[in-house]
Amino acid sequence: MTSPIHTRGLVKRYRGTVALDSFDLDVPEGSIYGLVGPNGAGKTTCIKVLMNLARATSGRGEVLGADTRRLGPAQFAQIGYVSENQKLPDWMTVEYFMNYLRPFYPTWDETLAADLIRQFDLPRSRELRHLSHGMRMKAAMASALAYRPKLIVLDEPFTGLDPLVRDELIEGLLPSAENTTVFISSHDLGEIESFASHIGFLDHGRLQFSEDMGSLAGRFREIEVTLPVDKAAPKPDQCPPAWLNAQQSASVFRFVDSRFEEERTAAQLRGLFGEAAQVAVNPMPLRAIFVTLAKASRKAA
Amino acid sequence: MRQAIHILRKDVRYLWIETTVALIAAGLLAFTGVRQAYALTRPEITHGIATAAMLLPFLLPIAWWTLIVRAVYAETLTGDRQFWPTRPYAWRSLLAAKWLLILLFVNMPLFLAQTAIVLSAGFPLSPQLAGLLWTQVLLTVAFDLPVAAVAALTTGVVQFLLCVLIVFASSMALSMGSMRITMAFAGGGWRGMEWIETYYSLLLIAIVGAAILIWQYRTRRTVPARVLAGLALLILALGAPFSWSTAFAIQSHFSRLHVDEASLHAGLFTNFQWATRAIVNRDGSVSLHIPLELSGVPGDLEPRTEGLTVRIEGAGGAIWDKNEAPWAEVSTNGRLIALQTTVDGAFYQKVKDQPVSLRGYLYLTLYGNQRVTRVPFDDHTQPVPGLGLCSASGGGNAPYFLSCNSTFRPPSELVSVAFGEGPNEGTPYSRPQVHSYSPLPAELSLNPVNPFVQWSTSKKVLDAATVVSVEPLAHVRAAIAIDGLRLGEHEVRIK
């Protein structure tokens, strides 16, 4: 299976600031890949490089099998790109915008376009400049889905949107995602978690991890150990490196295990706390994982 | 091409105000031009038309400028937030769409307006096609290309204007700074050969403008394109990289008549040797005035001096060889040609009592093919060599008028006009004062018709005006050779 997005050693510097650093990525075909990370992590830069809106300082990237620096009409006819800060031709009405774009795409589906306009409740005759931010995003999304692209790239599509519009966008996106690959950057983890199949965590321009949601959810656990009276909490250097954000309050020792495996983790706990400790293991939502990683990353920095 | 047409249709819809204004302005040009051409024979031009004609050279370029800039900005090339780079636009189609828009709403309207003006002035179309088409080339290179290129390097009108302001200020500063270089090469002495410097600049603009546009539409990498634009600006501000004599050599290639330079000589005009002067100035420098006799010019040709270069060599090996302004080293008074140059005081003192030799070149334009045309005062239009289409009117209590229209450039012929036996008769060739030896069919101007009017208030009953014209046939050099001249013998001191 080929990877619709593939990068190796991608570096992007802006006047000495490293925005992307040795960025290696493989987005599986057919996946909904969420690229998450704190503000300034390099998500938008990554997408700009992938879409040939910015040039990588070094390294290489491929999108739909083409070098990102050589992306042309053939590739863009199969890519649907929507960004929260994209400037649309404000003077066009929704209908004219869709009609104008139609001849650019051999696969444009007029019925789907009409359905999307209806589904997004877009006013056909209103100029884009007179639409709210949410409506403009919906217009952009409709124009990016109407030709059934092989790859949909969304850069922070939910930023500044109210929950209703967000749901509408996702509802419009998901049916289209059945036969396509979606690459979406966001810091709206709650939304990403609800539909992403894969996740990548970007911090300080580096991809900290990239894996499918099942494995990610499986390997992160919040562990709470109630210590016996005679047992002191371990010092940080005694803890395995995969234990993040360790903290103690009274007799309770808490941490996040980022490489949770039931038997191995149990053995590690026994080794440090003995048999007498009470252990509670809780699965973590994506938001909690993200916050943990961000805190750990800042601490390390 | 289909995509280009599709984008063009979008731009026409988007820029309907700008295109309408450009079309109206071009229509106004046609209207005023036609009225002015018509007024050649009947001076009934209204104040409104005259005002419009005066404003059009400002209004029309502003309308075009706005249209071109807005068309380029419709798909901005700088920045990374515009919607179109991630759509399947083919860069060639996008560039073609912009040029089609410019051709349709800038170039084509001017072409049609100029055609209307030329036809209304009574000129047949086919001989004017070269001028009409060459004007299109000039408009494209001198206006469309640079405006579109700067728009391709900027993100908005404010940045565009700021960029133009910086370009203007820096080129002025550079030109001032390089004034000595410019003066050394050309100064104000190009005169009829100025077209060579102009076309050098236009060639540079065409190459750089086209390169910037293609680069930007193809790659949207603005930094290298801006560096290229800056370099081009620097080169332009420094002026033509060739000397006046090189320009003359280029001009000589366009001579219509072959004259053997070996037969042309300039030496000391012995009859006027008394006019030789070595004027010692207060600052010690010495202004030399040496009358020259030109020989070998075929009898049917009339020479006009363009410039002079000279090398003065003393017996002891001292040499004066500074020819920074060849056009200023010669003066002509009637048939008398004089070398006039200023030499360093130290050099003069060294050689003034020795016999010196002068070697150099006198640069000449030879005029000939004299034609005499009578234009009766009967209001009928007729072709007149050197003036274009002319008609003469007047008599009774009204002054006599000779009104002429030429197209695309003032003719390069020298012309003298005489009204009967009045005081104008025998007037030396007077027109044009500023002329061009360009072999190309047009200069860039909005109104292609150049009017020329001369009148006489003679009370005599006259039947015709007489026009005598000669045309520049050859641009040649005559070798200067003077030996044994003792400058000290002609010394004059300014007290």
PDB file of all heavy atoms in Angstrom, chain A residues 179-198:
ATOM      1  N   ASN A 179     -13.585   6.739   0.902  1.00  0.00           N
ATOM      2  CA  ASN A 179     -12.653   6.218  -0.105  1.00  0.00           C
ATOM      3  C   ASN A 179     -11.462   7.134  -0.296  1.00  0.00           C
ATOM      4  O   ASN A 179     -10.901   7.208  -1.378  1.00  0.00           O
ATOM      5  CB  ASN A 179     -13.387   6.056  -1.430  1.00  0.00           C
ATOM      6  CG  ASN A 179     -14.534   5.096  -1.301  1.00  0.00           C
ATOM      7  OD1 ASN A 179     -14.366   4.002  -0.773  1.00  0.00           O
ATOM      8  ND2 ASN A 179     -15.712   5.514  -1.727  1.00  0.00           N
ATOM      9  N   THR A 180     -11.133   7.849   0.739  1.00  0.00           N
ATOM     10  CA  THR A 180     -10.051   8.808   0.574  1.00  0.00           C
ATOM     11  C   THR A 180      -9.179   8.840   1.830  1.00  0.00           C
ATOM     12  O   THR A 180      -9.476   8.170   2.816  1.00  0.00           O
ATOM     13  CB  THR A 180     -10.648  10.197   0.272  1.00  0.00           C
ATOM     14  OG1 THR A 180      -9.604  11.080  -0.064  1.00  0.00           O
ATOM     15  CG2 THR A 180     -11.381  10.778   1.458  1.00  0.00           C
ATOM     16  N   THR A 181      -8.128   9.604   1.743  1.00  0.00           N
ATOM     17  CA  THR A 181      -7.261   9.785   2.907  1.00  0.00           C
ATOM     18  C   THR A 181      -7.463  11.207   3.404  1.00  0.00           C
ATOM     19  O   THR A 181      -7.499  12.133   2.591  1.00  0.00           O
ATOM     20  CB  THR A 181      -5.790   9.587   2.494  1.00  0.00           C
ATOM     21  OG1 THR A 181      -5.668   8.316   1.867  1.00  0.00           O
ATOM     22  CG2 THR A 181      -4.868   9.674   3.691  1.00  0.00           C
ATOM     23  N   VAL A 182      -7.611  11.339   4.697  1.00  0.00           N
ATOM     24  CA  VAL A 182      -7.786  12.681   5.261  1.00  0.00           C
ATOM     25  C   VAL A 182      -6.600  12.982   6.169  1.00  0.00           C
ATOM     26  O   VAL A 182      -6.243  12.166   7.024  1.00  0.00           O
ATOM     27  CB  VAL A 182      -9.102  12.785   6.073  1.00  0.00           C
ATOM     28  CG1 VAL A 182      -9.254  14.178   6.655  1.00  0.00           C
ATOM     29  CG2 VAL A 182     -10.297  12.440   5.202  1.00  0.00           C
ATOM     30  N   PHE A 183      -5.989  14.129   5.930  1.00  0.00           N
ATOM     31  CA  PHE A 183      -4.874  14.568   6.787  1.00  0.00           C
ATOM     32  C   PHE A 183      -5.321  15.876   7.409  1.00  0.00           C
ATOM     33  O   PHE A 183      -5.578  16.851   6.711  1.00  0.00           O
ATOM     34  CB  PHE A 183      -3.631  14.766   5.929  1.00  0.00           C
ATOM     35  CG  PHE A 183      -2.401  15.124   6.716  1.00  0.00           C
ATOM     36  CD1 PHE A 183      -1.740  14.168   7.479  1.00  0.00           C
ATOM     37  CD2 PHE A 183      -1.883  16.413   6.687  1.00  0.00           C
ATOM     38  CE1 PHE A 183      -0.594  14.484   8.194  1.00  0.00           C
ATOM     39  CE2 PHE A 183      -0.741  16.738   7.403  1.00  0.00           C
ATOM     40  CZ  PHE A 183      -0.096  15.769   8.155  1.00  0.00           C
ATOM     41  N   ILE A 184      -5.445  15.873   8.722  1.00  0.00           N
ATOM     42  CA  ILE A 184      -6.045  17.028   9.370  1.00  0.00           C
ATOM     43  C   ILE A 184      -5.175  17.486  10.545  1.00  0.00           C
ATOM     44  O   ILE A 184      -4.760  16.672  11.359  1.00  0.00           O
ATOM     45  CB  ILE A 184      -7.495  16.685   9.821  1.00  0.00           C
ATOM     46  CG1 ILE A 184      -8.136  17.853  10.538  1.00  0.00           C
ATOM     47  CG2 ILE A 184      -7.542  15.445  10.681  1.00  0.00           C
ATOM     48  CD1 ILE A 184      -9.640  17.659  10.718  1.00  0.00           C
ATOM     49  N   SER A 185      -4.861  18.749  10.548  1.00  0.00           N
ATOM     50  CA  SER A 185      -4.107  19.276  11.687  1.00  0.00           C
ATOM     51  C   SER A 185      -5.082  20.007  12.588  1.00  0.00           C
ATOM     52  O   SER A 185      -5.992  20.684  12.093  1.00  0.00           O
ATOM     53  CB  SER A 185      -3.026  20.247  11.215  1.00  0.00           C
ATOM     54  OG  SER A 185      -3.559  21.526  11.027  1.00  0.00           O
ATOM     55  N   SER A 186      -4.884  19.832  13.865  1.00  0.00           N
ATOM     56  CA  SER A 186      -5.811  20.492  14.791  1.00  0.00           C
ATOM     57  C   SER A 186      -5.245  20.468  16.195  1.00  0.00           C
ATOM     58  O   SER A 186      -4.429  19.614  16.530  1.00  0.00           O
ATOM     59  CB  SER A 186      -7.165  19.772  14.760  1.00  0.00           C
ATOM     60  OG  SER A 186      -8.046  20.383  15.665  1.00  0.00           O
ATOM     61  N   HIS A 187      -5.674  21.443  16.974  1.00  0.00           N
ATOM     62  CA  HIS A 187      -5.429  21.278  18.398  1.00  0.00           C
ATOM     63  C   HIS A 187      -6.753  21.039  19.117  1.00  0.00           C
ATOM     64  O   HIS A 187      -6.812  21.035  20.335  1.00  0.00           O
ATOM     65  CB  HIS A 187      -4.652  22.469  18.983  1.00  0.00           C
ATOM     66  CG  HIS A 187      -5.280  23.788  18.720  1.00  0.00           C
ATOM     67  ND1 HIS A 187      -4.779  24.670  17.806  1.00  0.00           N
ATOM     68  CD2 HIS A 187      -6.378  24.349  19.256  1.00  0.00           C
ATOM     69  CE1 HIS A 187      -5.551  25.752  17.795  1.00  0.00           C
ATOM     70  NE2 HIS A 187      -6.517  25.573  18.658  1.00  0.00           N
ATOM     71  N   ASP A 188      -7.802  20.814  18.315  1.00  0.00           N
ATOM     72  CA  ASP A 188      -9.102  20.472  18.897  1.00  0.00           C
ATOM     73  C   ASP A 188      -9.147  18.947  19.048  1.00  0.00           C
ATOM     74  O   ASP A 188      -9.655  18.223  18.199  1.00  0.00           O
ATOM     75  CB  ASP A 188     -10.228  20.962  17.991  1.00  0.00           C
ATOM     76  CG  ASP A 188     -11.559  20.949  18.715  1.00  0.00           C
ATOM     77  OD1 ASP A 188     -11.736  20.064  19.582  1.00  0.00           O
ATOM     78  OD2 ASP A 188     -12.386  21.818  18.430  1.00  0.00           O
ATOM     79  N   LEU A 189      -8.576  18.509  20.162  1.00  0.00           N
ATOM     80  CA  LEU A 189      -8.355  17.076  20.317  1.00  0.00           C
ATOM     81  C   LEU A 189      -9.643  16.287  20.476  1.00  0.00           C
ATOM     82  O   LEU A 189      -9.756  15.157  20.025  1.00  0.00           O
ATOM     83  CB  LEU A 189      -7.450  16.851  21.518  1.00  0.00           C
ATOM     84  CG  LEU A 189      -6.124  17.587  21.358  1.00  0.00           C
ATOM     85  CD1 LEU A 189      -5.460  17.769  22.688  1.00  0.00           C
ATOM     86  CD2 LEU A 189      -5.237  16.828  20.413  1.00  0.00           C
ATOM     87  N   GLY A 190     -10.628  16.915  21.122  1.00  0.00           N
ATOM     88  CA  GLY A 190     -11.894  16.232  21.335  1.00  0.00           C
ATOM     89  C   GLY A 190     -12.504  15.807  20.016  1.00  0.00           C
ATOM     90  O   GLY A 190     -12.981  14.672  19.864  1.00  0.00           O
ATOM     91  N   GLU A 191     -12.457  16.728  19.017  1.00  0.00           N
ATOM     92  CA  GLU A 191     -13.042  16.413  17.713  1.00  0.00           C
ATOM     93  C   GLU A 191     -12.218  15.361  16.980  1.00  0.00           C
ATOM     94  O   GLU A 191     -12.749  14.421  16.404  1.00  0.00           O
ATOM     95  CB  GLU A 191     -13.137  17.681  16.862  1.00  0.00           C
ATOM     96  CG  GLU A 191     -14.061  18.737  17.422  1.00  0.00           C
ATOM     97  CD  GLU A 191     -15.486  18.259  17.543  1.00  0.00           C
ATOM     98  OE1 GLU A 191     -15.833  17.216  16.962  1.00  0.00           O
ATOM     99  OE2 GLU A 191     -16.263  18.924  18.271  1.00  0.00           O
ATOM    100  N   ILE A 192     -10.902  15.552  17.022  1.00  0.00           N
ATOM    101  CA  ILE A 192     -10.021  14.627  16.310  1.00  0.00           C
ATOM    102  C   ILE A 192     -10.219  13.197  16.831  1.00  0.00           C
ATOM    103  O   ILE A 192     -10.318  12.244  16.071  1.00  0.00           O
ATOM    104  CB  ILE A 192      -8.543  15.049  16.516  1.00  0.00           C
ATOM    105  CG1 ILE A 192      -8.267  16.356  15.802  1.00  0.00           C
ATOM    106  CG2 ILE A 192      -7.585  13.958  16.069  1.00  0.00           C
ATOM    107  CD1 ILE A 192      -8.066  16.226  14.336  1.00  0.00           C
ATOM    108  N   GLU A 193     -10.310  13.109  18.136  1.00  0.00           N
ATOM    109  CA  GLU A 193     -10.434  11.787  18.762  1.00  0.00           C
ATOM    110  C   GLU A 193     -11.681  11.056  18.280  1.00  0.00           C
ATOM    111  O   GLU A 193     -11.691   9.836  18.154  1.00  0.00           O
ATOM    112  CB  GLU A 193     -10.491  11.961  20.289  1.00  0.00           C
ATOM    113  CG  GLU A 193     -10.456  10.654  21.036  1.00  0.00           C
ATOM    114  CD  GLU A 193     -10.349  10.875  22.543  1.00  0.00           C
ATOM    115  OE1 GLU A 193     -10.746  11.956  23.002  1.00  0.00           O
ATOM    116  OE2 GLU A 193      -9.864   9.977  23.233  1.00  0.00           O
ATOM    117  N   SER A 194     -12.703  11.859  17.981  1.00  0.00           N
ATOM    118  CA  SER A 194     -13.976  11.216  17.635  1.00  0.00           C
ATOM    119  C   SER A 194     -13.943  10.549  16.266  1.00  0.00           C
ATOM    120  O   SER A 194     -14.766   9.690  15.994  1.00  0.00           O
ATOM    121  CB  SER A 194     -15.107  12.247  17.701  1.00  0.00           C
ATOM    122  OG  SER A 194     -14.926  13.216  16.690  1.00  0.00           O
ATOM    123  N   PHE A 195     -13.025  10.934  15.388  1.00  0.00           N
ATOM    124  CA  PHE A 195     -13.070  10.292  14.068  1.00  0.00           C
ATOM    125  C   PHE A 195     -11.714   9.911  13.476  1.00  0.00           C
ATOM    126  O   PHE A 195     -11.656   9.239  12.452  1.00  0.00           O
ATOM    127  CB  PHE A 195     -13.839  11.165  13.064  1.00  0.00           C
ATOM    128  CG  PHE A 195     -13.231  12.521  12.822  1.00  0.00           C
ATOM    129  CD1 PHE A 195     -12.214  12.684  11.900  1.00  0.00           C
ATOM    130  CD2 PHE A 195     -13.680  13.623  13.514  1.00  0.00           C
ATOM    131  CE1 PHE A 195     -11.668  13.930  11.667  1.00  0.00           C
ATOM    132  CE2 PHE A 195     -13.122  14.872  13.293  1.00  0.00           C
ATOM    133  CZ  PHE A 195     -12.123  15.036  12.367  1.00  0.00           C
ATOM    134  N   ALA A 196     -10.587  10.347  14.114  1.00  0.00           N
ATOM    135  CA  ALA A 196      -9.280  10.031  13.525  1.00  0.00           C
ATOM    136  C   ALA A 196      -8.963   8.550  13.699  1.00  0.00           C
ATOM    137  O   ALA A 196      -9.282   7.949  14.713  1.00  0.00           O
ATOM    138  CB  ALA A 196      -8.208  10.880  14.175  1.00  0.00           C
ATOM    139  N   SER A 197      -8.348   7.981  12.679  1.00  0.00           N
ATOM    140  CA  SER A 197      -7.912   6.592  12.796  1.00  0.00           C
ATOM    141  C   SER A 197      -6.433   6.537  13.183  1.00  0.00           C
ATOM    142  O   SER A 197      -5.973   5.549  13.731  1.00  0.00           O
ATOM    143  CB  SER A 197      -8.116   5.860  11.471  1.00  0.00           C
ATOM    144  OG  SER A 197      -7.312   6.449  10.460  1.00  0.00           O
ATOM    145  N   HIS A 198      -5.694   7.602  12.846  1.00  0.00           N
ATOM    146  CA  HIS A 198      -4.271   7.666  13.163  1.00  0.00           C
ATOM    147  C   HIS A 198      -3.958   9.035  13.753  1.00  0.00           C
ATOM    148  O   HIS A 198      -4.650  10.015  13.446  1.00  0.00           O
ATOM    149  CB  HIS A 198      -3.414   7.450  11.908  1.00  0.00           C
ATOM    150  CG  HIS A 198      -3.466   6.050  11.404  1.00  0.00           C
ATOM    151  ND1 HIS A 198      -4.585   5.534  10.779  1.00  0.00           N
ATOM    152  CD2 HIS A 198      -2.537   5.055  11.429  1.00  0.00           C
ATOM    153  CE1 HIS A 198      -4.348   4.284  10.443  1.00  0.00           C
ATOM    154  NE2 HIS A 198      -3.113   3.959  10.820  1.00  0.00           N
TER     155      HIS A 198
END
